[in-house]
Amino acid sequence: MPEFRAGQVIPLRYKSREIKAIIIDPNGLGPDKPSIGMGFRGMDRHIGVPQTTLSQRVIRIEGVECLQLPSGNAFRVIRIEAEDGNDYLLLEASDWATLAQDWAKNPGRLKKPARDGLIDFLAWFAAEGIYAQAYTMLKRVYTREDSQRVQNWLMSRESGKPARAEWSWEVQEKDSRGRYGFWTNYVYRGLFGMDATQMKEVWENPVRGDSRIARNYVPESVGLEAISYCEKMVGLLDLDDIEQAHDEAIRLTQIKFAKHFPMA
C-alpha cells in the first residue's frame, strides 16, 4: 500500500502540459484515499485566467479564505507548503471543474480567451474523468500509464486541426478544383489502404476474428497522429505538384510511424 503525504506532488497531464496536483489530506476521502488540489500557479496557464485575477478574488468568508466568482459562488482556498519547497494556494481538484463551469456561465468582465480556456479545461476534465471511471470499473485501478494513453488519444484528436488548416491552404492553392475530399482519401489510402469513411468505420467498429484486420489494425490514436503528421508535411514541403507533395509526405509518414504499425 503506497504511503501518501500532505504536500506530496503528483504530476498529471493536461493536453501537452503537466499539472502539479498536490495531496491536501492523505486520508481526505477515506483511509489511504487522499484528497488532492491544484494551485493557482500553473492552473492559470491551463484555464487561461491569470494568477493575479485568481488571487484578487480571494476573500475571507466567516474567517475562511475563499475564491469568489462573479456569480457569488465561492470555493475554499487551501494554503500548503509542498514537498517541492513551494507554497501553493490550492483549490480541491473537483472544485476546478465546478469553477470552470460557473465562471464560463457567469463570466463577469472575464475576456473571451479566458472564457475559452475555462471551457477547454472543463471538456478535458470531463473526458479524462469519464475514462478514469471506466478504467477503474474495468481494471479496479486507473494508472499513470492509463492516463498517458488517454491523454495521447485526446491530444491526437485535437492536434490535427492546425495542421489541417495548413494542408487545406495547400489544396486550395495547388489544386484548381479544390478537391479536399479527393486528397483526404489519397492520404488515407496511402497510409491505411482504404478511404477515410472506410477507415473511420473500422475505428468505430473494430472487426474481430479477421486475421488480416487483426494483423494490420491501426489504433485510432496512432492513425490520427499519422494523418496529422502527413498533412503537416504536405504544407512543409510546399511543392508545386500537389500529388508529388502528397506522395512524398506519405512516404515520410510511413518512415516516421513504421515502428507503430505496418504501412503500405
Side-chain angles (χ1 to χ4, degrees):
M1 185 70 68
E3 179 182 344
F4 301 112
R5 304 173 301 280
Q8 182 179 350
V9 177
I10 305 170
L12 303 178
R13 294 184 67 196
Y14 169 55
K15 296 191 174 180
S16 61
R17 295 174 287 185
E18 278 202 346
I19 295 176
K20 286 185 179 180
I22 298 164
I23 291 180
I24 299 169
D25 182 344
N27 302 297
L29 305 182
D32 294 317
K33 292 179 174 60
S35 57
I36 64 172
M38 279 95 83
F40 292 7
R41 182 171 62 240
M43 284 301 293
D44 55 353
R45 293 178 297 130
H46 303 314
I47 65 173
V49 180
Q51 182 182 346
T52 52
T53 301
L54 295 169
S55 299
Q56 287 167 0
R57 289 194 160 274
V58 175
I59 62 172
R60 283 194 172 271
I61 301 177
E62 297 181 355
V64 177
E65 281 192 304
C66 298
L67 189 157
Q68 190 172 53
L69 298 183
S71 66
N73 290 328
F75 301 86
R76 184 188 175 194
V77 175
I78 300 110
R79 292 180 181 267
I80 194 167
E81 182 179 347
E83 291 183 345
D84 63 3
N86 293 311
D87 294 322
Y88 290 90
L89 290 178
L90 308 176
L91 292 185
E92 194 275 329
S94 62
D95 281 348
W96 281 108
T98 308
L99 174 146
Q101 182 182 43
D102 187 306
W103 214 343
K105 285 182 177 179
N106 305 279
R109 296 181 179 180
L110 204 62
K111 294 181 180 179
K112 186 178 185 299
R115 296 200 302 272
D116 292 344
L118 291 168
I119 293 167
D120 289 345
F121 172 78
L122 187 62
W124 166 80
F125 193 98
E128 172 80 358
I130 288 169
Y131 273 90
Q133 290 185 46
Y135 277 43
T136 300
M137 287 292 292
L138 292 169
K139 302 169 56 180
R140 300 292 186 268
V141 66
Y142 187 66
T143 66
R144 178 168 171 76
E145 181 182 1
D146 292 333
S147 177
Q148 288 176 331
R149 287 182 179 276
V150 170
Q151 286 300 309
N152 288 340
W153 180 75
L154 292 173
M155 274 296 293
S156 71
R157 293 175 70 88
E158 292 298 317
S159 63
K161 293 180 181 177
R164 190 163 181 80
E166 189 174 338
W167 169 84
S168 297
W169 177 261
E170 283 292 304
V171 173
Q172 178 183 332
E173 188 179 47
K174 307 290 175 61
D175 184 342
S176 59
R177 289 181 283 176
R179 296 174 296 169
Y180 298 102
F182 173 85
W183 294 113
T184 294
N185 283 326
Y186 197 94
V187 169
Y188 272 81
R189 285 195 298 269
L191 296 179
F192 313 117
M194 60 184 77
D195 290 346
T197 300
Q198 295 172 305
M199 193 65 219
K200 289 173 183 177
E201 286 176 355
V202 171
W203 282 332
E204 290 174 4
N205 301 288
V207 179
R208 296 181 178 275
D210 185 317
S211 60
R212 182 183 64 84
I213 293 293
R215 184 173 60 254
N216 297 319
Y217 177 69
V218 181
E220 183 180 12
S221 60
V222 176
L224 291 175
E225 187 180 354
I227 293 164
S228 174
Y229 180 87
C230 186
E231 291 181 341
K232 181 178 180 180
M233 289 305 304
V234 171
L236 290 174
L237 288 168
D238 192 23
L239 301 178
D240 292 334
D241 187 327
I242 190 71
E243 182 172 356
Q244 183 183 5
H246 277 79
D247 287 341
E248 183 64 11
I250 289 168
R251 184 185 71 82
L252 293 172
T253 304
Q254 290 171 344
I255 295 172
K256 170 74 173 177
F257 290 87
K259 66 179 180 181
H260 294 290
F261 55 90
M263 293 286 188

